[in-house]
Amino acid sequence: MIRPTLALLLQAVDPSGASELPEAAQEIEAAMDAAALERSGFLELILSGSPLAMVVLTVLLAFSVASWAIAFSKHSLLKASRRNDLNFLKTFRRVGRLAELSAASEQYRPAPLVTVFEFGYEEVARQVNHLGRLRNGGALERCLQLGINEEVTHLQKNMGWLATTASATPFIGLFGTVWGVLEAFRGLGEAGGATLRAVAPGIAEALVATAFGLFAAIPALIFFNMFSQRIREMRAHMEDFGLEFYNLAERSYGEADGVFEPEQTGRVHS
């Protein structure tokens, strides 16, 4: 209501300029547009966007929410796994007997080392129960490696989504940015002049899309690198544990002159 009244007043003062606002009126109108844009909230700016801009922002928001949910879940899993690994490793080194460790291993789940231990223990039990001794050390090593691979695969679950979010969302945001710039040029064409009212909606859409794309990509990239480093460390710990397990099996069942003998207390039972 303010702008039409201002225009009518100016026309009444200067009827000869009724077809065109004076330069002073254009300056006042531009200042009022800037003030209105400054007063508009961020949510209103988003809701006033074009349908395509809303779709882009919705996709980016979905990527962001999913990546944060995965990050919290992965953090809890890795934290619990590391804690249980340390506890199980202390017990393994203190007890030093495979049968006793097998009975106590369940209380340390979820612990990747427990899975590696079970793969190795089953192979030891199979050879000793069927052959009376541990004959094939290579088979034991392969079983331990299978246990390590299985746990690494489990720990890496959903890591691909974080990588996809980190790599794809900047380009989705860039698409929204390009579309917003196109909308700004379209507004210029319709207005017939470079005014804030003509370019503001398109530029706002472009900047919001860019911000949403970065907001989704940056945390996902940080989480992916951080969790990848932790998983690599845990894999190294599992490989070290595999060596300790192999050494314990070798000591427990003795290797003399190339022949493995069962320990004096009897066979291992699965």
Side-chain angles (χ1 to χ4, degrees):
M1 294 298 296
I2 296 178
R3 291 179 187 132
T5 303
L6 178 61
L8 290 175
L9 289 175
L10 290 172
Q11 292 175 11
V13 173
D14 185 11
S16 61
S19 60
E20 181 179 358
L21 288 176
E23 183 178 352
Q26 293 180 1
E27 294 178 357
I28 295 174
E29 183 178 1
M32 294 173 63
D33 287 337
L37 182 62
E38 184 177 357
R39 289 194 302 269
S40 63
F42 184 71
L43 181 61
E44 181 181 352
L45 187 64
I46 295 175
L47 296 178
S48 62
S50 64
L52 182 59
M54 294 296 295
V55 171
V56 171
L57 296 182
T58 301
V59 171
L60 292 174
L61 182 61
F63 270 95
S64 180
V65 170
S67 64
W68 278 93
I70 292 171
F72 281 115
S73 174
K74 189 67 64 178
H75 173 73
S76 299
L77 174 63
L78 294 178
K79 183 178 179 180
S81 298
R82 177 177 293 182
R83 181 179 63 252
N84 291 330
D85 271 355
L86 292 175
N87 294 333
F88 178 73
L89 187 58
K90 291 178 182 178
T91 303
F92 177 85
R93 290 172 177 173
R94 183 180 68 253
V95 175
R97 298 179 66 84
L98 296 181
E100 296 179 12
L101 286 168
S102 178
S105 62
E106 287 297 326
Q107 61 181 307
Y108 296 103
R109 292 185 181 277
L113 293 186
V114 171
T115 301
V116 178
F117 171 84
E118 289 180 346
F119 269 75
Y121 181 80
E122 288 177 0
E123 179 60 25
V124 171
R126 185 181 303 111
Q127 292 192 34
V128 174
N129 288 334
H130 292 154
L131 304 176
R133 59 179 61 87
L134 187 62
R135 290 180 177 272
N136 192 343
L140 177 58
E141 290 180 349
R142 289 189 291 271
C143 286
L144 291 171
Q145 189 61 49
L146 287 174
I148 293 173
N149 293 340
E150 180 175 302
E151 277 304 308
V152 170
T153 300
H154 174 67
L155 294 174
Q156 289 179 338
K157 184 179 180 181
N158 294 327
M159 289 289 289
W161 181 266
L162 294 178
T164 301
T165 301
S167 60
T169 51
F171 293 100
I172 298 175
L174 180 61
F175 173 76
T177 302
V178 173
W179 184 261
V181 173
L182 292 176
E183 286 293 308
F185 280 108
R186 186 178 64 83
L188 286 176
E190 293 179 353
T195 63
L196 181 61
R197 183 190 302 175
V199 301
I203 296 299
E205 286 184 13
L207 295 178
V208 169
T210 302
F212 267 65
L214 295 177
F215 178 78
I218 293 175
L221 180 61
I222 294 174
F223 289 138
F224 178 81
N225 291 333
M226 180 176 63
F227 295 147
S228 296
Q229 177 62 29
R230 290 185 183 179
I231 292 173
R232 284 194 295 268
E233 292 175 357
M234 296 181 72
R235 183 188 184 97
H237 291 160
M238 284 186 279
E239 291 175 349
D240 293 341
F241 174 78
L243 295 176
E244 290 192 41
F245 182 95
Y246 187 91
N247 289 336
L248 177 60
E250 193 175 42
R251 289 194 305 268
S252 299
Y253 298 96
E255 183 180 12
D257 298 328
V259 178
F260 288 91
E261 296 292 345
E263 60 181 334
Q264 296 178 357
T265 55
R267 297 179 180 178
V268 177
H269 296 282
S270 56

